[in-house]
Amino acid sequence: MGELLCASATAQQPAYPTKPIRLIVAYPAGGSADLIGRAVNEVLAKRLGQPVIVDNRGGGSGIIGAEIAARAPADGYTLLVATVSMLAVNVSIYRSLPYHPERDFAPVSMLGSTPYLLAVHPTVPVRSVAQLLAHAKANPGKLNFGSSGVGSGGHLATELFKHMAGIDIVHVPYKGVSAATTDVLGGQIGMLLGGISVLKTHADGGRLRGLAVSTIKRTSIAPDIPTIDEAGVKGYQSKSWNALVAPRQTPPAIIQRINSELVAVLKSPQLAEQLKGLGIEPEPGTPAELARYTREEIVRFREVIQTIGLKPF
């Protein structure tokens, strides 16, 4: 009798999806979150049989878009392209958030990650991470580095590098990564740990020197460039990443459906090559894997923030 009731209840549930799906990107068009969202949405729409509409809601380090997604109906028709800042960093650098990364979202899958490239202006007299460390230790406080702002991914990644390498280099915050990139190209700052797609182009052109990538293993995007770990700072790793999440109470069956289709999309050779062209490594996975990784990243960034003495805003 119980099996009949269960089967009846299942049969009465409408098929998913039956209408367009809103994909919130909490950043303006053109950024990494937007690029990966738009790269995925058309292919995912074909597999789901309904339009997947990108909705850019930029502002507040992703907080505005994240809040909109957290408060949306948990019916599978609102999804969020989440970033490392939204899920792992903001909870430690803001005194109050209108959402909680674990309590308010249901993980669907990791989307992809972007390695950072450690690059220096050619006037900095180094050609390897080992030489950079020696130079910084011989000239404490004289080398500076840029970032897109206090608490940004690039800032925290570089502070972690400083801490693990035991060097003293000075942070110069900018209002965006474009401004920081302009100044490292002009030699106003000496070093930048930033997105590989942009910095590698300048390194290939001789305007910068690319010393190492920030992932623990070499990236297929630039397999000839060593990692910071193998170059001498053992155990160092940091990267920018994006994931797909839904409002917390979204039914598990819907989460699983989206995950299975998304994983198939991210494993397709055509999309994988498209993402790598944007400097993004596809990283499909399970909801449980994303939940575990998010918890680990929250702890890791909290420790970095405490180590550098960054006070919550």
Side-chain angles (χ1 to χ4, degrees):
M1 184 67 175
E3 292 179 357
L4 290 174
L5 288 173
C6 181
S8 176
T10 301
Q12 292 173 10
Q13 292 178 356
Y16 172 85
T18 60
K19 61 181 182 179
I21 298 165
R22 177 172 62 156
L23 181 63
I24 295 177
V25 175
Y27 296 89
S32 60
D34 181 68
L35 291 174
I36 195 169
R38 292 182 186 277
V40 167
N41 81 310
E42 289 187 13
V43 188
L44 185 60
K46 291 178 181 178
R47 295 190 65 91
L48 291 172
Q50 290 289 342
V52 179
I53 301 168
V54 175
D55 183 8
N56 292 95
R57 296 297 185 99
S61 298
I63 294 173
I64 293 173
E67 182 181 10
I68 293 170
R71 295 183 178 182
D75 55 8
Y77 292 99
T78 298
L79 303 173
L80 172 69
V81 177
T83 65
V84 56
S85 294
M86 292 158 58
L87 293 185
V89 177
N90 286 350
V91 70
S92 292
I93 64 173
Y94 289 95
R95 295 183 185 277
S96 177
L97 280 178
Y99 71 91
H100 189 278
E102 293 182 286
R103 290 194 299 266
D104 292 333
F105 295 115
V108 178
S109 172
M110 182 71 79
L111 291 173
S113 64
T114 301
Y116 295 118
L117 177 65
L118 176 58
V120 297
H121 188 268
T123 56
V124 179
V126 303
R127 293 184 177 274
S128 68
V129 171
Q131 290 179 2
L132 175 67
L133 298 183
H135 175 71
K137 289 177 180 178
N139 301 276
K142 292 185 179 180
L143 180 65
N144 54 20
F145 73 93
S147 82
S148 58
V150 175
S152 65
H155 173 216
L156 296 180
T158 313
E159 291 289 355
L160 178 62
F161 173 71
K162 283 176 52 179
H163 174 69
M164 293 182 67
I167 56 176
D168 177 17
I169 54 179
V170 179
H171 180 215
V172 181
Y174 290 82
K175 292 184 177 180
V177 70
S178 295
T181 302
T182 297
D183 272 12
V184 75
L185 287 169
Q188 284 78 23
I189 55 174
M191 187 184 105
L192 185 64
L193 193 61
I196 192 169
S197 58
V198 173
L199 295 186
K200 184 176 182 299
T201 299
H202 293 302
D204 290 343
R207 301 182 68 191
L208 294 175
R209 289 195 190 114
L211 303 184
V213 295
S214 64
T215 43
I216 196 70
K217 296 179 180 178
R218 292 199 184 197
T219 172
S220 62
I221 298 170
D224 56 323
I225 301 179
T227 68
I228 292 174
D229 169 83
E230 68 181 275
V233 186
K234 294 300 179 183
Y236 178 86
Q237 61 176 322
S238 190
K239 60 185 179 181
S240 173
W241 52 266
N242 297 100
L244 191 70
V245 298
R248 168 53 65 182
Q249 298 303 320
T250 301
I254 291 178
I255 294 292
Q256 188 54 50
R257 170 75 195 285
I258 299 170
N259 174 269
S260 63
E261 301 294 358
L262 184 62
V263 168
V265 166
L266 291 170
K267 287 184 175 180
S268 67
Q270 182 177 358
L271 185 62
E273 286 305 309
Q274 181 183 350
L275 291 177
K276 286 180 181 179
L278 298 172
I280 300 169
E281 293 264 20
E283 291 192 27
T286 67
E289 287 170 341
L290 176 56
R292 180 172 62 252
Y293 185 68
T294 299
R295 287 194 297 271
E296 292 171 353
E297 287 283 88
I298 288 173
V299 171
R300 192 167 71 88
F301 279 107
R302 182 184 298 129
E303 291 174 350
V304 173
I305 289 165
Q306 291 175 345
T307 297
I308 66 176
L310 179 60
K311 302 300 182 183
F313 304 150

